[in-house]
Amino acid sequence: MATQLEMKGISIEFPGVKALKDVDFSVRSGTAHALVGANGAGKSTLMKVLSGAHVHYSGDIYLDGMKREICSPKEAQEHGIQIVYQEVDTALIPYLTVGENVMLNEMVQNMGKKQLVKWKDLHSAATQILEDMNIHVPSKKLVKDLTLAQKQMVLIARAVSTECKFLILDEPTAPLSHTETSELFRVVNELKQKGVGIIFISHRLPEIFRVCEEITVMRNGERVACRKMGDITQSEVVELMLGRRMDEQFPEVNAAIGDVVLEVKGLSDAGKIKDVSLHLKAGEIVGLAGLVGAGKTELCKVLFGHTSIGTGKVILNGRRVSLKSPHDAVKSGLALVPEERRKEGVLVQETVTANLTAASIGTFCNTFSVVDRKAEKEKAKEMIVSLGIKASSGEAKVENLSGGNQQKVAIGKWLLADADVYIFDEPTKGVDVGAKKDIFELIAKLARKGKAIIYASSELSEIIGITNRTYVLYDGTTVIELQTKKTNEEELLFYSTGGK
């Protein structure tokens, strides 16, 4: 018999913001229900209420018609409600093994019972859970040594290791390859057959239509629609999310292409990158296309001095540069907007102002190295307005912003620093269609100003839509260079999967 979970009249406020306004939401066990909306619409806030992370809400939660009080994550889990957050590194313990992370809930429950951990049994149970989900990761491997995709699957394994009636997945496919996404959908369908209700938060509409039976659309903290998937189209979902018709997503760049700014010759690192060569001109947007794990992120980090160059050379504005650290890269005129924005791109505990001025703080200092706070705040305020960052003020903490607004802060930091080469690594990951368009326009403006741009993405439609030329990466090396206007997604995918 199906279990019904209902949220009725849910409202919640934060300082200066009414995040949810009288929201109703329901899901049945054995089905997948999509929850969508632009960044800041209230999706994650609603799910944090359901999972016990936010307790100062008004409204009621019911399970099979019985009112339930959920005042902590522990109480949510006792009712069979589990959540897998998008930012996987904040939910895993890197120095523990895969098995310990999968069985963490059980280990915590047994604390204080004065019983020894039976490590053989723990790893055996974890291995069985992983095998049932077709996840091929050794139970005794340390989590810090896993790929981002593997970490995501370990979190899902942990969620279903206990009695799970409703599983909330927040952008679960963002770090996954096509193959890994297919595996996730297999797991989702198996969980549905076992009677688990899935709440699926995603900005990737084709995936939602593939795996979900119903959809709820939110906008500005309110529910604006709840439909069966067969009764709505993708374009209608976008219009409901934005409250208007969606114009052309990709802007006309129309930038003048100048001289070569960056040359990379025979570049290799100690791990993934092997004999990469490419060049980049002023005003040009050059794509790095490839599947998850192809080496795009690793190449971006090598160019930014985050990891060491083994062989090869980097030539910037005609001069060979030594990039032994990010500090060297910034001094040379390179900027990186990383894939993991919360972990590497922004200081989540700091204010919007502090983040926006972090890379250029020296320009606000006098001869005695004292920061002119007034000038700093004024410049940050200008940037907040010009980028359309939705924040109550420059003093708002970045951790309280939506994903799209966090990404704008990560980009804005480098706009103030005024680099020559901008490297964007998966810049639209976890970002809604409205914020994506804003980010594309920001990148187009940089190109029009004569900046040279690397755009690394596994979203091939974005590569086609925004770049001039594209290098395809496969297994850590560039396999082909293509003029973007003369290629298509099918050809990019062919080379991304090892085609010759």
Side-chain angles (χ1 to χ4, degrees):
M1 182 176 175
T3 301
Q4 183 85 0
L5 185 153
E6 296 175 282
M7 304 178 77
K8 294 184 177 180
I10 303 296
S11 298
I12 192 168
E13 291 187 32
F14 298 98
V17 179
K18 187 157 188 176
L20 296 175
K21 309 164 195 171
D22 199 30
V23 176
D24 292 345
F25 178 80
S26 65
V27 59
R28 290 175 291 110
S29 59
T31 67
H33 193 122
L35 182 60
V36 303
N39 289 113
K43 311 179 299 296
S44 295
T45 302
L46 184 66
M47 290 301 101
K48 285 180 179 178
V49 168
L50 181 59
S51 60
H54 291 327
V55 298
H56 63 289
Y57 65 92
S58 60
D60 299 307
I61 299 173
Y62 296 87
L63 279 170
D64 271 348
M66 293 184 63
K67 185 176 175 180
R68 303 290 188 182
E69 295 292 334
I70 297 180
C71 297
S72 69
K74 184 175 183 292
E75 287 187 5
Q77 291 170 13
E78 288 171 353
H79 292 305
I81 299 166
Q82 297 276 357
I83 185 167
V84 176
Y85 289 109
Q86 178 184 352
E87 307 296 342
V88 295
D89 283 304
T90 64
L92 292 169
I93 302 176
Y95 51 83
L96 294 184
T97 64
V98 168
E100 289 167 311
N101 273 276
V102 169
M103 306 304 292
L104 189 63
N105 292 337
E106 182 177 315
M107 291 174 68
V108 170
Q109 288 172 5
N110 290 332
M111 280 184 178
K113 295 183 180 179
K114 295 184 179 180
Q115 59 184 43
L116 295 175
V117 176
K118 297 180 180 179
W119 295 108
K120 184 177 180 181
D121 291 348
L122 180 145
H123 285 291
S124 177
T127 298
Q128 187 62 55
I129 292 167
L130 293 165
E131 287 180 353
D132 288 346
M133 296 176 66
N134 201 20
I135 300 172
H136 305 293
V137 182
S139 176
K140 294 185 179 180
K141 188 171 185 176
L142 291 179
V143 159
K144 70 180 180 65
D145 296 326
L146 300 183
T147 66
L148 194 60
Q150 289 172 328
K151 291 175 183 176
Q152 180 78 299
M153 298 304 271
V154 167
L155 266 183
I156 295 171
R158 178 202 291 173
V160 301
S161 68
T162 56
E163 186 178 351
C164 180
K165 296 177 183 176
F166 294 95
L167 177 62
I168 306 162
L169 299 176
D170 189 359
E171 291 287 348
T173 63
L176 305 185
S177 68
H178 294 287
T179 300
E180 290 160 339
T181 296
S182 296
E183 279 299 309
L184 172 67
F185 289 165
R186 181 190 63 78
V187 170
V188 167
N189 286 325
E190 285 186 3
L191 290 173
K192 287 196 292 185
Q193 291 172 12
K194 293 176 181 178
V196 177
I198 309 291
I199 301 171
F200 200 96
I201 303 174
S202 179
H203 294 302
R204 295 177 170 179
L205 297 185
E207 296 177 353
I208 286 171
F209 277 77
R210 178 178 165 187
V211 78
C212 297
E213 286 79 29
E214 292 183 283
I215 185 169
T216 290
V217 184
M218 294 185 67
R219 186 173 70 244
N220 297 329
E222 299 180 358
R223 187 186 83 166
V224 293
C226 181
R227 309 269 181 83
K228 293 188 181 298
M229 299 306 297
D231 297 335
I232 196 168
T233 65
Q234 289 187 38
S235 60
E236 288 171 336
V237 171
V238 171
E239 288 176 20
L240 285 166
M241 287 168 59
L242 300 179
R244 54 181 168 80
R245 292 186 63 83
M246 182 66 183
D247 299 325
E248 181 63 36
Q249 190 173 21
F250 299 105
E252 287 289 336
V253 178
N254 295 325
I257 307 300
D259 297 330
V260 172
V261 176
L262 178 71
E263 287 183 273
V264 176
K265 296 183 177 181
L267 192 68
S268 300
D269 67 1
K272 187 76 174 180
I273 303 304
K274 295 169 285 189
D275 195 29
V276 167
S277 295
L278 55 85
H279 71 276
L280 185 61
K281 295 179 180 179
E284 192 176 34
I285 304 173
V286 171
L288 291 181
L291 302 181
V292 172
K296 302 184 302 298
T297 293
E298 290 81 357
L299 177 56
C300 291
K301 288 186 174 182
V302 169
L303 292 176
F304 194 61
H306 188 273
T307 49
S308 299
I309 294 173
T311 58
K313 56 185 176 180
V314 178
I315 301 169
L316 192 62
N317 292 317
R319 181 175 60 87
R320 184 171 181 177
V321 292
S322 175
L323 303 174
K324 295 181 179 179
S325 69
H327 179 70
D328 290 340
V330 173
K331 282 205 309 181
S332 299
L334 291 158
L336 171 65
V337 179
E339 177 183 15
E340 292 303 297
R341 57 177 170 263
R342 285 182 65 90
K343 185 179 177 184
E344 301 172 336
V346 293
L347 303 167
V348 293
Q349 298 289 336
E350 297 295 333
T351 65
V352 173
T353 294
N355 273 271
L356 287 172
T357 59
S360 54
I361 194 67
T363 63
F364 301 100
C365 294
N366 61 22
T367 54
F368 301 103
S369 298
V370 176
V371 178
D372 184 340
R373 295 298 180 189
K374 183 179 179 181
E376 180 192 23
K377 288 180 180 179
E378 286 178 355
K379 182 57 71 173
K381 187 176 180 180
E382 288 177 18
M383 189 61 67
I384 289 168
V385 172
S386 66
L387 297 182
I389 296 170
K390 293 180 180 177
S392 56
S393 73
E395 298 309 301
K397 293 288 183 68
V398 166
E399 65 182 338
N400 295 326
L401 302 187
S402 66
N405 286 301
Q406 288 180 359
Q407 189 70 312
K408 289 180 184 179
V409 170
I411 295 170
K413 170 179 67 178
W414 293 117
L415 297 184
L416 281 178
D418 194 32
D420 295 321
V421 177
Y422 286 81
I423 305 169
F424 291 89
D425 185 12
E426 299 285 358
T428 64
K429 190 175 90 172
V431 172
D432 71 78
V433 287
K436 278 184 183 181
K437 186 176 180 182
D438 291 341
I439 290 169
F440 295 143
E441 186 56 54
L442 285 172
I443 291 170
K445 284 181 180 178
L446 287 171
R448 294 184 201 116
K449 289 180 179 179
K451 306 300 182 182
I453 295 156
I454 291 175
Y455 191 96
S457 180
S458 54
E459 298 288 344
L460 301 182
S461 62
E462 295 180 11
I463 294 287
I464 294 294
I466 196 71
T467 68
N468 302 100
R469 285 184 300 115
T470 300
Y471 293 93
V472 180
L473 267 71
Y474 176 76
D475 196 23
T477 192
T478 44
V479 293
I480 194 167
E481 174 191 351
L482 298 165
Q483 293 291 327
T484 306
K485 64 182 179 182
K486 295 180 180 179
T487 188
N488 53 42
E489 290 185 49
E490 289 74 21
E491 185 177 24
L492 291 179
L493 185 60
F494 173 74
Y495 288 112
S496 295
T497 52
K500 302 291 185 182

